[in-house]
């Protein structure tokens, strides 16, 4: 989830929705243009993805001055039947652990569950 790599052609394992959600998990005040650059998407595509995530209950946002602050709903179950019972929190934790291990920070997550999506803080 760290830095942006070179352009990749073909299919990938993570969807654009998962990438946008992971970017928001790392910085809940991230700008749409920064998400777009990081995920290699257009700003319009990111806006649509955020709208999808909000519509289906994975994400909410509040306006803070000139920016948005996003809040991930940690207990929301993933949509695909193959991930039956897996929550957004579990997915983001797995991605954060992978990122930490790949950047020599094993055991340290770049996502802070207690701040961003504490499972006890039902929203």
């Amino acid at each position: 989830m760290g830095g942006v790599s070179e352009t990749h052609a073909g299919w990938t394992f993570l969807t654009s929705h998962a990438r946008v959600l992971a970017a928001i998990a790392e910085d809940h005040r991230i700008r749409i243009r920064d998400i777009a650059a990081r995920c290699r998407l257009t700003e319009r595509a990111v806006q649509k993805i955020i709208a999808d995530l909000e519509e289906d209950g994975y994400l909410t946002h509040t306006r803070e001055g000139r920016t948005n602050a996003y809040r991930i709903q940690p207990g929301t179950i993933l949509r695909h039947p193959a991930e039956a019972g897996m929550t957004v929190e579990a997915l983001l934790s797995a991605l954060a652990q992978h990122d930490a291990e790949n950047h020599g920070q094993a055991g340290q997550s770049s996502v802070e569950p207690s701040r961003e999506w504490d499972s006890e803080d039902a929203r």
Side-chain angles (χ1 to χ4, degrees), residues 14 27 30 37-38 48-49 69 79 89 92 109 113 123:
L14 295 179
D27 178 1
I30 192 169
R38 177 183 169 159
K48 171 73 169 101
I49 289 168
R79 294 169 42 121
E89 181 176 22
L92 292 173
S109 168
R123 294 177 244 319

Side-chain angles (χ1 to χ4, degrees), residues 59-122:
L59 185 69
T60 61
H61 79 275
T62 55
R63 196 77 177 147
E64 291 184 358
R66 295 173 47 188
T67 63
N68 288 321
Y70 299 98
R71 190 165 292 280
I72 294 171
Q73 305 301 318
T76 307
I77 303 297
L78 300 181
R79 294 169 42 121
H80 197 280
E83 290 98 33
M86 185 176 204
T87 64
V88 168
E89 181 176 22
L91 171 67
L92 292 173
S93 292
L95 293 174
Q97 179 181 356
H98 176 268
D99 188 49
E101 288 170 358
N102 283 343
H103 290 91
Q105 303 166 333
Q108 296 178 7
S109 168
S110 58
V111 178
E112 300 176 27
S114 61
R115 184 193 74 193
E116 298 299 326
W117 34 273
D118 185 359
S119 60
E120 299 207 20
D121 189 12

Side-chain angles (χ1 to χ4, degrees), residues 17-35:
H17 285 66
R19 288 192 178 123
V20 167
L21 197 62
I24 291 170
E26 285 191 11
D27 178 1
H28 71 283
R29 288 187 175 90
I30 192 169
R31 298 177 308 171
I32 286 177
R33 79 172 41 156
D34 296 330
I35 296 170

